[in-house]
């Protein structure tokens, strides 16, 4: 497990390894940058631009790599579309530049964008993360509905009906948690 205080050093190592480009951390690990009561994570999910840099990260810091063996933590490199966030998430994200890798942009999505991206799966651990997010970053019904409307599932970017159905189920559950 990756504890919240371990996420930033892991991403610093990743930034030094890729030397330039952009890293986007998403999923539970992103919450370490925002929440006082951030959850631990199985790994650090990210995507990388350019994609070739992600291949380097996966080889050097991925599951079963020397890095994983040495530190007990690993990164999982995904394609950008894996992070099913609402439109405008980049504008709400925090930008971090590591002093040892100033040519690398580290983007950390806002917790509300992370929450919407989790709605398709919305397993018990995702629900617990959702509770933590809402405890520290309350969400109005109006803002929630706008974020959901801008999600790829609602914009026709997710073709599979089963995935859209799971997303809508997650939306319905989360909607009951938001006053209004």
């Amino acid at each position: 497990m990756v504890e919240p205080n371990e996420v930033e050093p892991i991403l610093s190592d990743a930034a030094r390894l890729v030397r330039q480009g952009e890293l986007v951390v998403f999923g539970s690990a992103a919450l370490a940058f925002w929440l006082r009561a951030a959850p631990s994570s199985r790994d650090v999910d990210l995507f990388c631009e350019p994609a070739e840099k992600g291949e380097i990260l996966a080889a050097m810091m991925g599951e079963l790599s020397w890095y994983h063996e040495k530190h007990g933590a690993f990164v999982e490199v995904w394609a950008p579309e894996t992070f099913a966030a609402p439109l405008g998430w980049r504008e709400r994200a925090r930008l971090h530049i590591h002093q040892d890798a100033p040519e690398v942009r580290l983007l950390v999505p806002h917790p509300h964008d992370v929450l919407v991206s989790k709605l398709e799966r919305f397993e018990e651990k995702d629900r617990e993360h959702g509770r933590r997010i809402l405890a520290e970053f309350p969400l109005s019904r109006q803002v929630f509905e706008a974020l959901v409307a801008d999600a790829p599932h609602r914009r026709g970017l997710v073709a599979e009906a089963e995935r859209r159905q799971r997303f809508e189920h997650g939306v319905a559950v989360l909607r009951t948690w938001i006053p209004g």
Side-chain angles (χ1 to χ4, degrees):
M1 290 301 278
V2 178
E3 296 303 320
N5 65 329
E6 297 172 321
V7 173
E8 192 166 359
I10 291 168
L11 290 169
S12 293
D13 290 343
R16 283 192 297 274
L17 186 61
V18 300
R19 296 191 186 144
Q20 62 181 349
E22 183 176 81
L23 298 175
V24 177
V25 59
F26 61 97
S28 305
L31 300 176
F33 287 85
W34 293 89
L35 301 182
R36 289 184 305 276
S40 58
S41 179
R42 185 179 83 80
D43 55 16
V44 176
D45 292 324
L46 58 82
F47 65 87
C48 188
E49 294 294 334
E52 307 82 62
K53 300 283 186 171
E55 294 170 12
I56 294 167
L57 285 176
M60 301 297 289
M61 295 180 71
E63 190 170 21
L64 305 178
S65 67
W66 69 270
Y67 189 91
H68 184 198
E69 186 175 314
K70 180 177 180 180
H71 298 284
F74 64 95
V75 300
E76 186 89 36
V77 181
W78 298 95
E81 58 272 10
T82 305
F83 179 50
L87 285 173
W89 71 265
R90 286 178 174 274
E91 290 77 30
R92 294 181 292 274
R94 282 188 178 163
L95 172 64
H96 292 267
I97 305 291
H98 190 276
Q99 65 184 12
D100 293 340
E103 299 297 315
V104 178
R105 294 170 38 93
L106 173 62
L107 278 180
V108 184
H110 188 278
H112 291 163
D113 295 311
V114 173
L115 180 58
V116 171
S117 76
K118 289 177 169 279
L119 290 175
E120 180 183 331
R121 188 175 66 188
F122 220 43
E123 296 170 346
E124 186 50 44
K125 72 174 185 165
D126 301 309
R127 292 175 191 216
E128 174 56 32
H129 299 170
R131 290 180 193 95
R132 291 178 189 219
I133 290 168
L134 293 177
E136 294 190 41
F137 290 88
L139 186 60
S140 72
R141 178 69 62 98
Q142 181 180 5
V143 170
F144 173 66
E145 296 299 343
L147 290 171
V148 166
D150 283 342
H153 301 79
R154 292 272 182 95
R155 294 186 339 229
L157 300 176
V158 175
E160 299 88 355
E162 182 181 325
R163 288 185 59 204
R164 289 191 314 270
Q165 189 174 37
R166 288 193 312 260
F167 175 79
E168 293 302 335
H169 176 74
V171 169
V173 170
L174 189 56
R175 191 177 281 132
T176 66
W177 301 359
I178 300 172

